[in-house]
C-alpha cells in the first residue's frame, strides 16, 4: 500500500513512520509528503529519506476545492492508496474526503473526544486532568471527530511541566502511529483484494 503523509511543521511523526518503514516494522511505501507551510522542517526530513515532498501554497488557489484538486492530482500520479495526516494544520475538505473515503488517518495529542483542536496537549495540562493521551482516528468533515482507531493513555504527574508532558506524548505518538498505520493498511489491502476477487467471479 502506498501512503502520502501530510504535514505542516516539524515532521517528527513523519520521521517515526519513515524510520519504521526503513526498519521493516511497517510495510507500506511512503509515496510522497505534502506540506502547506513553505519553511516546514518536514521537507528536510523527507530529503533525508529520499522521499519527494510537494509544497502546496493555499493562498495561490482560488478556493479550498481547487487547492485540494491540485493535491489530488499529485496523489493520483503517485498512486496513493491512503493518506496519513501528521501535524497537518488544515481541515480536510470535500474533494479529498470524497476521493479517500475512510482512507485518511489523523493523530491527535489527547484522548478524544476530550481536548480536540489545535492545542490538545496544553489544554489537557491547563485543565489539570490526571491523564491525557494520544488518539489515532479516521478523518471526517469535523475537527478531530472521526471514528477512533486506537488510543493510548499518558499520565500527567505532579512533577510534569508542559514541556515534559509534550515530550511524553510525542514518544507515545511515534510508537503508536506506525502500529496503527500497519494495521489499517492490512485492513484496506484485504478489502481491496476481496473486491478484486468479487470482480473475477
Ligand atoms: C503531533 O503532536 C500530532 O499529534 C499533532 O501535531 C503534532 C505534529 O508533530 N496532530 P510533528 O510535526 O509530527 O512533530
Amino acid at each position: 500500500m502506498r501512503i502520502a503523509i501530510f504535514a505542516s511543521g516539524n515532521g517528527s511523526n513523519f520521521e517515526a513512520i519513515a524510520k519504521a518503514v526503513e526498519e521493516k516494522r511497517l510495510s507500506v511505501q511512503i509515496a510522497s509528503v505534502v506540506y502547506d507551510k513553505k519553511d516546514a522542517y518536514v521537507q528536510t526530513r523527507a530529503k533525508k529519506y529520499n522521499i519527494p515532498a510537494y509544497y502546496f501554497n493555499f493562498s495561490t488557489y482560488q478556493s479550498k476545492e481547487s487547492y485540494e484538486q491540485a493535491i489530488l492530482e499529485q496523489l493520483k500520479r503517485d498512486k496513493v492508496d491512503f493518506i496519513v495526516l501528521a501535524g497537518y494544520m488544515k481541515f480536510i475538505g470535500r474533494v479529498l474526503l470524497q476521493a479517500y473515503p475512510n482512507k485518511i488517518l489523523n493523530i491527535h495529542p489527547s484522548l478524544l473526544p476530550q481536548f480536540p483542536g489545535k492545542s490538545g496537549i496544553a489544554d489537557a495540562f491547563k485543565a489539570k486532568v490526571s491523564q491525557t493521551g494520544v488518539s489515532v482516528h479516521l478523518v471526517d468533515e469535523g475537527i478531530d471527530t472521526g471514528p477512533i482507531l486506537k488510543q493510548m493513555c499518558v499520565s500527567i504527574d505532579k512533577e510534569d511541566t508542559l514541556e515534559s508532558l509534550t515530550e511524553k506524548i510525542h514518544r507515545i505518538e511515534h510508537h503508536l502511529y506506525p502500529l496503527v498505520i500497519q494495521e489499517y493498511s492490512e485492513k484496506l489491502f484485504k478489502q481491496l483484494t476481496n473486491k478484486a476477487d468479487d470482480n473475477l467471479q
Side-chain angles (χ1 to χ4, degrees):
M1 301 292 277
R2 292 169 64 79
I3 66 170
I5 299 178
F6 286 27
S8 300
N10 182 22
S12 70
N13 278 283
F14 157 78
E15 182 138 9
I17 298 164
K19 198 156 177 259
V21 172
E22 197 177 69
E23 292 171 358
K24 301 194 188 323
R25 286 180 282 120
L26 171 56
S27 53
V28 298
Q29 263 181 285
I30 307 175
S32 60
V33 167
V34 166
Y35 64 103
D36 66 325
K37 296 268 186 306
K38 195 163 174 274
D39 300 321
Y41 186 62
V42 71
Q43 65 190 290
T44 306
R45 297 190 196 255
K47 233 176 242 153
K48 197 167 90 182
Y49 286 87
N50 276 321
I51 293 167
Y54 303 106
Y55 170 51
F56 289 89
N57 182 353
F58 182 68
S59 65
T60 62
Y61 294 88
Q62 284 189 336
S63 63
K64 180 93 177 179
E65 280 73 25
S66 54
Y67 166 75
E68 288 199 339
Q69 197 57 48
I71 295 178
L72 182 56
E73 275 152 31
Q74 186 60 51
L75 299 181
K76 282 185 182 158
R77 278 194 287 275
D78 289 330
K79 298 189 170 42
V80 167
D81 295 300
F82 68 103
I83 297 172
V84 170
L85 307 184
Y88 180 66
M89 299 307 279
K90 279 192 175 47
F91 71 85
I92 299 292
R94 190 179 50 84
V95 171
L96 288 175
L97 282 171
Q98 278 176 9
Y100 285 92
N102 288 329
K103 288 181 181 167
I104 308 178
L105 272 59
N106 183 40
I107 188 159
H108 183 78
S110 79
L111 288 178
L112 290 172
Q114 288 181 68
F115 310 114
K118 274 189 184 164
S119 41
I121 306 177
D123 291 346
F125 188 73
K126 273 187 223 144
K128 298 196 187 327
V129 288
S130 60
Q131 68 167 16
T132 180
V134 173
S135 307
V136 177
H137 66 96
L138 291 175
V139 174
D140 63 10
E141 47 295 311
I143 295 177
D144 304 324
T145 51
I148 291 166
L149 296 175
K150 203 150 262 172
Q151 296 184 300
M152 271 181 93
C153 295
V154 174
S155 65
I156 306 184
D157 305 322
K158 265 196 231 106
E159 56 278 10
D160 267 324
T161 60
L162 180 57
E163 288 67 37
S164 68
L165 177 62
T166 303
E167 215 169 281
K168 281 204 258 185
I169 296 250
H170 282 151
R171 217 175 307 130
I172 296 294
E173 287 186 335
H174 300 162
H175 166 72
L176 184 66
Y177 217 3
L179 293 177
V180 182
I181 294 168
Q182 178 65 30
E183 271 178 31
Y184 205 69
S185 80
E186 284 171 18
K187 187 178 160 177
L188 288 177
F189 184 72
K190 268 191 205 137
Q191 279 174 10
L192 273 178
T193 46
N194 286 345
K195 235 186 233 162
D197 288 348
D198 288 350
N199 289 341
L200 284 175
Q201 279 163 10

